[in-house]
Amino acid sequence: MTTLTRQDLNFGQVVADILCEFLEVAIHLILYVREVYPSGIFQKRKKYNVPVQMSCHPELNQYIQDTLHCVKPLIEKNDAEKVVVVIMDKEHHPVERFVFEISQPPLLSISSDTLLSHVEQLLRAFILKISVCDAVLNNNPPGCSFTVLVHTRDAATRNMEKVQVIKDFPWIVADEQEVHMQEPRLIPLKTMTSDIVKMQLYVEERTQKT
Amino acid sequence: MDELYLDNIDEFVNDHDKIVTYKWLSLTLGVHVNTAKQMLFHYLDHKRKESSAQLHATYLVSGKFVANGQTSHKVSVVREEQLEDVKAKMSLIVSVHVYSVQKALLKDSGPLYSVDYDAVKDNLKNCSKYSAIRCPTAVPMSSLELQQAREMHRAPSPEPENKKPAMNGNGNLASKPPTKPAKGIMGMFANKSTPKNQDSGREMKSEQKEDAPVVDAPKSKPATKANPMMNFFGSQPAKKPEKTVKEEEAAQSSSTAAEKQRQSPQAEQKRGAAAAEPQKNAKKDSRSKNKRIEDSDSEEEKMEKKKRRRIKLPEPDSSDEDVIPDSPPQMETREASPSPKKEAEAVTHSYQGNSDGKIRKRRQVLKSHTFVDEEGCIVTEKGYESESYSETEDDFQPTKQAPRDPFKAKLPSSSKDEEKKSQKKSSANANKGTKQASIMGFFQKK
């Protein structure tokens, strides 16, 4: 089969597209499962041939899409080390953190026909794992909100600040209060390794949530 | 049977945090589905006695249900808390068994489907190896037959476009209306590379990824009554497809299984299918499919028990397109009250006949509208709208879907169409509004 490398930017974009689509679905699912928003706004839709819950609220969807649109160039260049979905309580202290650690092998290559369906299968497993994660997590206090943090390698964010990818959607350096969590408890959820991406998902939750 | 399986299930549920469905367990351990169900039941029993970790279970309940004077066969997956409730509502319970065991309390039924998806996909050719439904005449089509089926399906589809008067060309079409629904089904099947069967016994084998709890005999709990089953077959078995994401393609499998139960109350023997076959032959061309599994989770309660159901009566020329307009009960912010099944029934059987033999129908499609009401709140209303379509609808589909708003939900009905015509990328502009194309779509973009 064809062997494409990272220099083939088209393929790098394809990987970033796949990951961003997955992250969008994952974020919606996290919001649903952790009850950050009332379940009435969610609707069953299909992704990777399995049912997932996506929100119908236009502003929420737009926010998530804009967020991921800005993250995509970082993933393309393999600058994004972690994408973190932080759930915060009313005082904006983090209560839970869903960490997606992403790493891409330096020499991406597709060497098999079934690569993408294999990746689809792995992503499906992630989705399933998120759906059942409330078995291992304590309940969140009411009135939570969420935010998305990106940990980048080196100084990629400097470039981001210079160039606003989306107008009026600036990214700022997160302050200590939002990043630091007291007494975190780490719960690994899922790991996947494939030819095009390696991803790990774990949850850090605060031992005392209320 | 030895007790090792208890440890196995324990490991799956507690250590791996898996959802263990009976189907997954049967494929993983290589046992018959009924054995798997019993295993789950014993495990649950065992754990409950020990009163150790918190476990949740879902059950499959199947039986007769009377609504508005019409009887239908209902199959539903229910949570444990709702089990007694649902059982009480049924007029006759055919089967109750454990569907799955898991640690987490599931908020909706989506993961139950995902669990079985991969297991069934891996065992596609023999996914019915351990199942209890048998049909000796159902064999996969040879590739030659597949070719013919595809050609037959494609041949009539260019015809309606030309709008020829009912002449020779369409004389063939006009003379075989009963086979059109069958072609519709075959067309659906032909596009998928899975074992097909065209026979009356459309069994579980044909499904490519749907797990679906098939109605099997109950395990240790006897819940059947012999005599009422005869009545069940004496009258017209009205099927009621429940709207859920899990859609099964086994036609009358429930009645088939029920028939089996009547003949052999034991969990082991399921060979009664043969006797049921002659009856099913008569209904070969009638709609088929599906019996849907109703999902009695919180969605249902929110809808105040207003379940949208359609009673399917076996008619020789009824088509199976009814399957498509069904939509799973949606989570709604404010529910527009759709008129119940009667309207849907009337609609699906109304024909806008054309003289050239093309059949156009109107169907109700669940559409959602998002708008800002007078108080400045964003409201999403979902309601049924009439949409005109024809049997060969892929060419008409894009025009209907183009005016939709981009962020409107991609309806399951249309996603089923997409699946159906997955080989025909002409429906590509129907995909424009949402990004639900499968991951393989990346390759086609080149």
Side-chain angles (χ1 to χ4, degrees):
Chain A
M1 274 309 331
T2 44
T3 302
L4 297 171
T5 61
R6 177 175 288 290
Q7 280 74 41
D8 190 340
L9 191 58
N10 192 20
F11 188 70
Q13 281 176 350
V14 167
V15 174
D17 279 340
I18 295 176
L19 277 177
C20 286
E21 269 194 13
F22 166 71
L23 284 172
E24 187 178 352
V25 172
I27 293 177
H28 280 267
L29 199 56
I30 290 173
L31 296 177
Y32 174 75
V33 172
R34 303 310 294 149
E35 291 170 349
V36 178
Y37 294 114
S39 43
I41 67 166
F42 291 95
Q43 189 189 45
K44 245 187 215 178
R45 286 159 67 173
K46 191 171 81 144
K47 185 68 183 172
Y48 310 129
N49 280 330
V50 291
V52 295
Q53 297 278 355
M54 302 280 281
S55 111
C56 305
H57 195 286
E59 286 184 14
L60 174 62
N61 293 354
Q62 192 62 38
Y63 174 78
I64 295 177
Q65 276 178 4
D66 286 342
T67 308
L68 290 170
H69 190 78
C70 297
V71 173
K72 199 185 285 197
L74 292 175
I75 299 183
E76 266 174 44
K77 298 193 204 96
N78 200 15
D79 276 335
E81 187 189 19
K82 289 197 260 192
V83 176
V84 185
V85 180
V86 183
I87 296 179
M88 301 179 293
D89 62 9
K90 282 190 261 229
E91 291 92 35
H92 294 282
H93 294 299
V95 172
E96 263 176 19
R97 281 211 288 257
F98 284 79
V99 182
F100 294 85
E101 270 189 17
I102 304 171
S103 75
Q104 298 172 36
L107 198 70
L108 287 173
S109 61
I110 25 168
S111 45
S112 76
D113 263 336
T114 54
L115 174 71
L116 285 184
S117 61
H118 181 60
V119 168
E120 189 177 306
Q121 190 179 7
L122 296 170
L123 294 178
R124 216 181 291 135
F126 264 85
I127 303 239
L128 183 59
K129 208 63 193 195
I130 297 176
S131 315
V132 298
C133 71
D134 54 348
V136 290
L137 297 172
N138 299 326
N139 285 338
N140 286 335
C144 283
S145 61
F146 84 104
T147 183
V148 178
L149 307 175
V150 179
H151 296 240
T152 59
R153 296 181 224 280
D154 305 332
T157 40
R158 260 189 258 139
N159 296 335
M160 273 191 84
E161 280 167 16
K162 281 189 215 146
V163 179
Q164 267 191 9
V165 182
I166 296 182
K167 205 170 178 329
D168 296 331
F169 200 81
W171 284 72
I172 55 174
V173 177
D175 43 317
E176 190 59 30
Q177 185 201 2
E178 284 173 5
V179 175
H180 180 69
M181 194 156 76
Q182 288 179 338
E183 304 165 350
R185 204 164 64 108
L186 184 90
I187 298 142
L189 283 189
K190 194 103 184 83
T191 314
M192 81 172 233
T193 315
S194 80
D195 284 342
I196 56 171
V197 70
K198 278 205 267 201
M199 185 152 60
Q200 207 188 88
L201 169 61
Y202 55 89
V203 188
E204 289 168 345
E205 71 166 339
R206 198 164 73 186
T207 321
Q208 278 194 317
K209 281 194 175 172
T210 39
Chain B
M1 84 185 76
D2 56 292
E3 303 297 303
L4 266 178
Y5 70 87
L6 283 178
D7 290 331
N8 279 341
I9 301 179
D10 202 32
E11 188 190 321
F12 294 137
V13 172
N14 280 321
D15 298 341
H16 300 163
D17 275 340
K18 278 185 171 358
I19 302 176
V20 181
T21 60
Y22 76 91
K23 184 159 205 164
W24 183 87
L25 192 66
S26 111
L27 286 170
T28 309
L29 296 183
V31 294
H32 194 267
V33 284
N34 290 336
T35 320
K37 290 173 204 166
Q38 283 168 352
M39 285 179 179
L40 283 179
F41 178 69
H42 285 134
Y43 173 75
L44 211 54
D45 213 26
H46 189 72
K47 280 290 169 184
R48 292 274 160 81
K49 284 191 191 121
E50 285 181 7
S51 65
S52 46
Q54 173 80 307
L55 285 179
H56 295 98
T58 58
Y59 291 84
L60 181 98
V61 182
S62 143
K64 273 174 78 172
F65 187 80
V66 180
N68 293 347
Q70 288 204 313
T71 323
S72 52
H73 195 102
K74 181 162 115 172
V75 183
S76 42
V77 176
V78 300
R79 288 206 202 102
E80 208 167 356
E81 305 86 59
Q82 301 155 327
L83 178 64
E84 293 306 319
D85 212 21
V86 173
K87 271 164 76 169
K89 288 198 197 120
M90 301 267 206
S91 60
L92 164 71
I93 296 177
V94 167
S95 140
V96 178
H97 64 78
V98 179
Y99 185 81
S100 78
V101 175
Q102 63 272 347
K103 254 201 327 189
L105 177 66
L106 293 180
K107 289 192 183 54
D108 85 326
S109 64
L112 290 176
Y113 175 81
S114 317
V115 166
D116 293 334
Y117 181 88
D118 283 316
V120 171
K121 200 164 95 149
D122 290 335
N123 290 316
L124 205 49
K125 297 268 184 259
N126 58 348
C127 62
S128 59
K129 191 160 71 164
Y130 300 115
S131 105
I133 296 185
R134 295 265 177 271
C135 173
T137 46
V139 290
M141 281 165 78
S142 68
S143 50
L144 185 61
E145 287 169 355
L146 260 176
Q147 266 311 83
Q148 289 171 348
R150 278 195 199 116
E151 281 158 21
M152 279 205 299
H153 177 68
R154 284 194 192 136
S157 55
E159 295 289 341
E161 285 183 57
N162 303 340
K163 293 205 195 309
K164 282 186 229 163
M167 285 295 186
N168 299 349
N170 292 3
N172 292 336
L173 290 180
S175 67
K176 302 186 209 172
T179 65
K180 257 199 169 220
K183 272 185 217 152
I185 299 170
M186 264 164 44
M188 240 176 85
F189 284 10
N191 285 338
K192 314 235 172 138
S193 51
T194 57
K196 324 269 185 302
N197 53 19
Q198 295 167 280
D199 266 0
S200 54
R202 301 226 178 93
E203 308 269 329
M204 298 289 288
K205 260 163 134 180
S206 69
E207 63 185 3
Q208 70 271 30
K209 59 185 182 223
E210 183 44 69
D211 50 338
V214 173
V215 175
D216 287 314
K219 335 159 277 167
S220 37
K221 310 186 208 177
T224 58
K225 299 174 191 163
N227 287 335
M229 296 319 296
M230 286 308 292
N231 299 342
F232 184 62
F233 282 100
S235 63
Q236 290 195 345
K239 285 279 141 55
K240 168 190 47 95
E242 282 302 301
K243 300 176 179 85
T244 67
V245 175
K246 298 187 199 187
E247 176 180 333
E248 219 176 288
E249 310 223 324
Q252 301 112 0
S253 57
S254 57
S255 41
T256 311
E259 172 84 333
K260 289 179 215 149
Q261 266 164 274
R262 180 175 60 80
Q263 293 174 351
S264 51
Q266 271 77 27
E268 270 60 56
Q269 297 301 338
K270 295 293 169 293
R271 305 294 166 192
E277 286 316 305
Q279 270 183 326
K280 302 300 167 284
N281 278 329
K283 302 179 201 121
K284 172 177 178 170
D285 288 332
S286 71
R287 96 192 355 169
S288 62
K289 317 224 214 112
N290 341 111
K291 122 183 128 203
R292 296 183 187 228
I293 293 100
E294 174 189 70
D295 196 340
S296 307
D297 58 8
S298 59
E299 298 173 4
E300 297 284 335
E301 265 117 47
K302 281 196 179 139
M303 284 160 58
E304 295 150 5
K305 298 176 196 159
K306 186 168 189 148
K307 303 178 176 124
R308 297 184 212 118
R309 275 178 247 121
R310 196 176 304 126
I311 311 289
K312 282 183 178 167
L313 302 171
E315 291 171 29
D317 59 346
S318 62
S319 81
D320 60 338
E321 262 79 4
D322 287 302
V323 170
I324 297 151
D326 276 349
S327 304
Q330 309 274 358
M331 301 294 285
E332 302 176 351
T333 49
R334 202 189 284 176
E335 179 192 5
S337 52
S339 49
K341 48 191 186 286
K342 293 186 196 119
E343 184 187 33
E345 239 181 2
V347 154
T348 52
H349 296 311
S350 72
Y351 287 81
Q352 295 177 3
N354 291 334
S355 59
D356 60 357
K358 163 179 74 169
I359 298 177
R360 286 198 68 85
K361 300 183 197 137
R362 294 200 72 82
R363 64 173 176 189
Q364 298 284 52
V365 176
L366 184 65
K367 285 202 169 130
S368 69
H369 299 278
T370 308
F371 57 90
V372 181
D373 71 0
E374 55 268 359
E375 292 165 22
C377 308
I378 295 178
V379 169
T380 304
E381 271 196 12
K382 294 176 173 124
Y384 278 111
E385 280 183 8
S386 213
E387 186 180 272
S388 170
Y389 78 110
S390 76
E391 298 237 1
T392 58
E393 67 207 293
D394 55 336
D395 297 308
F396 295 92
Q397 269 302 73
T399 54
K400 294 289 182 288
Q401 292 188 3
R404 282 197 207 158
D405 266 1
F407 59 74
K408 274 198 189 126
K410 175 96 186 260
L411 304 172
S413 57
S414 55
S415 75
K416 282 176 206 146
D417 295 330
E418 250 68 81
E419 263 185 285
K420 196 167 146 169
K421 320 278 180 216
S422 61
Q423 306 299 326
K424 302 180 183 160
K425 285 295 173 188
S426 62
S427 54
N429 43 343
N431 277 329
K432 216 194 304 182
T434 65
K435 287 158 75 175
Q436 291 243 344
S438 102
I439 214 169
M440 297 303 287
F442 285 113
F443 268 140
Q444 270 110 14
K445 278 182 192 160
K446 287 187 190 165

